[in-house]
Amino acid sequence: MSRRVDAAGAAELLRGLKEVGVLIHRRPDGDAVGSAFALRQALGALGIRCRVLCPDPIPEKFSFLAGGGEEEFQPLCYVAVDLASAGMAGEFEQRAKGCLLCVDHHLSNEQYAENLLLDPQAASCCELLLPVIKAMGVPLTPFIATALYTGAATDTGCFLFRNTTAATHLAAAELMAAGADAALVNQRFFEQKSRSRLALELMVYESLEFYLGGRVAVATITEDMIKRSGATAGDLEGINGLARGIEGVEVGVTLREGPGGVCRASLRSNRVDSSAVCRVFGGGGHQGAAGFECTGEFADIKALLLRELEKRL
Amino acid sequence: MSRRVDAAGAAELLRGLKEVGVLIHRRPDGDAVGSAFALRQALGALGIRCRVLCPDPIPEKFSFLAGGGEEEFQPLCYVAVDLASAGMAGEFEQRAKGCLLCVDHHLSNEQYAENLLLDPQAASCCELLLPVIKAMGVPLTPFIATALYTGAATDTGCFLFRNTTAATHLAAAELMAAGADAALVNQRFFEQKSRSRLALELMVYESLEFYLGGRVAVATITEDMIKRSGATAGDLEGINGLARGIEGVEVGVTLREGPGGVCRASLRSNRVDSSAVCRVFGGGGHQGAAGFECTGEFADIKALLLRELEKRL
């Protein structure tokens, strides 16, 4: 069990450091990257040597935060941001275990750190980090503000998802006033889609089938569709959410053809427990979003899934 | 020329009324409807008789604001919200001319009202109306907060567009704290789309043509497309933003066929001054979003527009 600290307590711990490695989770998203690089600059402003350690490469789309590379050194001390479990730090798992401090907003945080600032009400780790950085006595530079805005915006689908609270908007207001380049972040993550993504979306929409009175929508994504659209790995991000985005749809199902005839099924719902449904097929996930993999004809998988959904709707 | 007033001045004028008709623009959007019905409830709280007058029916998707119908009476006095010109009040144009007060955020406001609260920096009229309602001494009820949130969210594409400022987020924070049902508004306007909207979007995407090296995208919406998709007035909201949402596109143009062979052109851009371009064709609007109406062949209008855009890109 971690000792719980508040923003002032976390700031005090951070101010006392000489050098530190900041740990984030594998397959890093906007909140992880934004948190880590905001913190790195804040620590740097206090003369604290700092490097960010992530088990996976930081995706190109975060180059405006992570550019410039990392100083190579072996830190004496570690802190973790947006990291729910030590295992998600991948090769840095042992550094995460018992690290000095973790700042996180996941209810499922496994309390692997010595000290923990946890607020599951915070929509993003960046939202939670803002008062910490202020308590460190570091001025909110445009870079720090942009980094924190990145997490605040991406973890809420640009202030759309239900985790968005008044506090989220207050933080966004403060960050924009401090010079956050919201236009750059929004453009990169929300305003525009690539032509290949659009081409794929159109095919996915064309593939939609509606069942159970329109309450279930099933989208199909074949390897051929991905090839014809020219979609990259980045273009596939969030594609499983399309089926759920149609009025009246309570369960969005996406069946995606993988290599070797594998079918990757994904469920999205606010009505049924997606995780429970997917466990029936040997998969799992969260209540709102879950998945499983199997082999077989798509038509058969669909029929089995619909039978399972009919019981629960 | 209107006499300029601030929020306190506007509130004082409103508090002095006995009965009033609130005028909004034709083809009302979330900002117009949100502003009008927030103001109606605020006036009602002060015992002021009020009705909303719109030349077009209020779309069904605003039923959570506009439900319950209007009291039928001939008001002694008129105020306008989100109404840039008297002409946009349609059949109520004469009532708009010289009306007591206009609260608006359009730079192009034609100053037709006796008193004017104008702030082109405000992302929405609702954002601008919030301090007015507070200055009226009316408590921010959940209904008023939801109505104002509707305009704040819909006029910014859920805090995405570049008109979003720190003040916009501050207003959203205050409205959510006051009980705005952001989940209801976001679900209705951003999370899910109707099947008819989807059908129309697919046709609009299919219609896209790219010019000037992909920097300009032109979408075409015909009356036949609207008919075939089954799109309602509500389904058309924001449809003019699709063309701009493709990677590399700096100007999104939408040409929409109106009744009687009229062409309604809409421009969206962060690169050129949309309003300046549209003024060339007798229209107007904001820097990022503007429009004009004309008659003629779509191909000719497109050619003229592209020539104008080429000069500026």
Side-chain angles (χ1 to χ4, degrees):
Chain A
M1 291 288 282
S2 304
R3 185 176 78 105
R4 300 295 280 266
V5 293
D6 61 9
E12 206 186 313
L13 287 168
L14 290 164
R15 285 184 62 89
L17 298 175
K18 288 269 177 293
E19 55 172 50
V20 60
V22 176
L23 304 170
I24 56 175
H25 59 75
R26 70 166 86 93
R27 294 197 296 279
D29 59 7
D31 196 23
V33 176
S35 295
F37 287 91
L39 186 56
R40 185 175 80 162
Q41 196 183 77
L43 290 163
L46 295 173
I48 300 164
R49 210 174 168 202
C50 174
R51 66 180 295 196
V52 175
L53 295 154
C54 180
D56 288 320
I58 309 281
E60 172 56 28
K61 63 182 170 179
F62 298 117
S63 58
F64 65 105
L65 298 177
E70 290 293 314
E71 195 192 346
E72 292 286 333
F73 70 100
Q74 195 75 270
L76 292 168
C77 171
Y78 293 90
V79 304
V81 289
D82 199 39
L83 184 69
S85 72
M88 292 181 76
E91 62 182 282
F92 303 111
E93 179 172 0
Q94 291 310 317
R95 311 269 164 80
K97 281 184 183 161
C99 71
L100 178 71
L101 170 69
C102 169
V103 179
D104 189 23
H105 70 125
H106 293 94
L107 186 59
S108 61
N109 185 284
E110 291 182 1
Q111 310 220 13
Y112 54 84
E114 205 181 313
N115 297 281
L116 174 63
L117 170 59
L118 178 70
D119 181 2
Q121 301 302 313
S124 64
C125 186
C126 282
E127 183 181 323
L128 191 51
L129 208 51
L130 172 58
V132 175
I133 289 177
K134 282 159 68 186
M136 285 165 72
V138 172
L140 278 182
T141 62
F143 179 90
I144 292 176
T146 301
L148 294 179
Y149 179 88
T150 301
T154 56
D155 255 26
T156 56
C158 204
F159 311 98
L160 171 61
F161 303 154
R162 294 180 191 206
N163 58 353
T164 308
T165 66
T168 313
H169 282 294
L170 265 187
E174 189 167 356
L175 295 170
M176 286 190 76
D181 194 345
L184 176 144
V185 175
N186 293 348
Q187 154 88 13
R188 216 167 255 242
F189 298 100
F190 303 109
E191 266 183 15
Q192 291 196 326
K193 50 183 97 181
S194 67
R195 287 209 215 176
S196 46
R197 164 70 181 225
L198 174 62
L200 181 62
E201 278 192 15
L202 295 180
M203 293 182 212
V204 172
Y205 279 128
E206 300 283 358
S207 82
L208 281 180
E209 297 167 335
F210 295 91
Y211 297 98
L212 303 178
R215 297 165 78 189
V216 177
V218 180
T220 306
I221 305 179
T222 64
E223 295 224 278
D224 179 60
M225 281 158 68
I226 292 173
K227 211 170 105 187
R228 276 190 293 135
S229 65
T232 63
D235 286 331
L236 291 164
E237 209 167 301
I239 199 86
N240 292 343
L242 294 192
R244 172 76 186 81
I246 313 293
E247 198 172 62
V249 174
E250 294 174 352
V251 186
V253 176
T254 307
L255 301 178
R256 189 171 140 203
E257 192 185 3
V262 152
C263 171
R264 293 182 188 144
S266 153
L267 256 74
R268 294 288 156 88
S269 184
N270 296 325
R271 263 298 298 265
V272 305
D273 183 345
S274 309
S275 178
V277 175
C278 290
R279 274 199 303 274
V280 173
F281 300 91
H286 303 282
Q287 197 162 336
F292 63 89
E293 285 194 6
C294 62
T295 51
E297 292 294 322
F298 275 35
D300 298 338
I301 299 162
K302 197 161 62 187
L304 288 169
L305 245 176
L306 287 170
R307 201 186 302 160
E308 205 55 50
L309 288 171
E310 194 167 16
K311 285 189 225 161
R312 294 161 199 258
L313 273 171
Chain B
M1 291 287 283
S2 304
R3 186 176 79 105
R4 300 296 279 268
V5 294
D6 61 9
E12 205 187 314
L13 287 169
L14 290 164
R15 286 184 61 90
L17 298 175
K18 290 267 174 295
E19 56 172 50
V20 60
V22 175
L23 303 170
I24 55 176
H25 59 75
R26 69 166 91 94
R27 297 195 297 277
D29 59 7
D31 195 26
V33 177
S35 295
F37 287 89
L39 186 58
R40 186 176 79 162
Q41 197 184 74
L43 290 163
L46 295 173
I48 299 164
R49 210 174 169 202
C50 175
R51 66 179 296 198
V52 175
L53 295 155
C54 181
D56 288 321
I58 309 280
E60 172 57 29
K61 63 176 170 185
F62 298 116
S63 58
F64 65 106
L65 297 177
E70 291 294 314
E71 194 191 347
E72 293 285 332
F73 70 101
Q74 194 74 271
L76 292 170
C77 171
Y78 294 89
V79 303
V81 289
D82 198 38
L83 184 70
S85 71
M88 294 183 74
E91 62 184 281
F92 304 112
E93 180 173 358
Q94 292 310 317
R95 311 269 164 79
K97 282 185 181 162
C99 71
L100 178 69
L101 170 69
C102 168
V103 178
D104 189 23
H105 69 126
H106 294 91
L107 185 60
S108 60
N109 186 285
E110 292 182 1
Q111 310 223 14
Y112 55 84
E114 204 182 314
N115 298 280
L116 174 63
L117 171 58
L118 178 70
D119 181 2
Q121 301 302 313
S124 62
C125 186
C126 281
E127 184 182 322
L128 191 51
L129 208 50
L130 172 59
V132 175
I133 288 177
K134 283 159 67 186
M136 285 165 71
V138 172
L140 278 183
T141 61
F143 178 90
I144 291 175
T146 300
L148 293 180
Y149 179 89
T150 301
T154 57
D155 254 26
T156 57
C158 204
F159 311 99
L160 170 61
F161 304 154
R162 297 188 187 198
N163 56 355
T164 307
T165 66
T168 313
H169 281 293
L170 265 188
E174 188 167 358
L175 295 170
M176 286 189 76
D181 193 345
L184 175 144
V185 175
N186 293 348
Q187 153 88 16
R188 217 168 253 243
F189 298 99
F190 303 109
E191 272 182 11
Q192 289 198 324
K193 50 184 99 183
S194 67
R195 287 210 217 174
S196 46
R197 164 69 180 225
L198 175 62
L200 181 63
E201 278 193 13
L202 296 180
M203 294 183 214
V204 172
Y205 279 127
E206 301 283 357
S207 83
L208 281 180
E209 296 168 335
F210 295 91
Y211 297 97
L212 302 178
R215 297 166 79 190
V216 177
V218 180
T220 306
I221 306 178
T222 63
E223 295 226 278
D224 178 61
M225 283 159 68
I226 292 173
K227 210 170 109 189
R228 275 189 295 135
S229 63
T232 62
D235 286 330
L236 291 166
E237 199 167 318
I239 200 85
N240 294 342
L242 294 192
R244 171 77 186 81
I246 313 295
E247 199 171 61
V249 174
E250 294 175 351
V251 185
V253 176
T254 307
L255 301 178
R256 190 171 140 206
E257 191 185 6
V262 152
C263 170
R264 291 180 189 148
S266 153
L267 256 74
R268 294 276 194 280
S269 184
N270 297 324
R271 263 298 299 265
V272 305
D273 182 344
S274 309
S275 180
V277 175
C278 290
R279 272 198 305 273
V280 173
F281 300 91
H286 303 282
Q287 196 163 337
F292 63 88
E293 287 193 5
C294 61
T295 50
E297 292 296 322
F298 274 35
D300 299 336
I301 298 163
K302 198 160 61 187
L304 289 170
L305 246 174
L306 287 171
R307 199 185 305 162
E308 205 55 49
L309 289 171
E310 196 167 14
K311 284 189 225 163
R312 293 158 199 261
L313 273 171

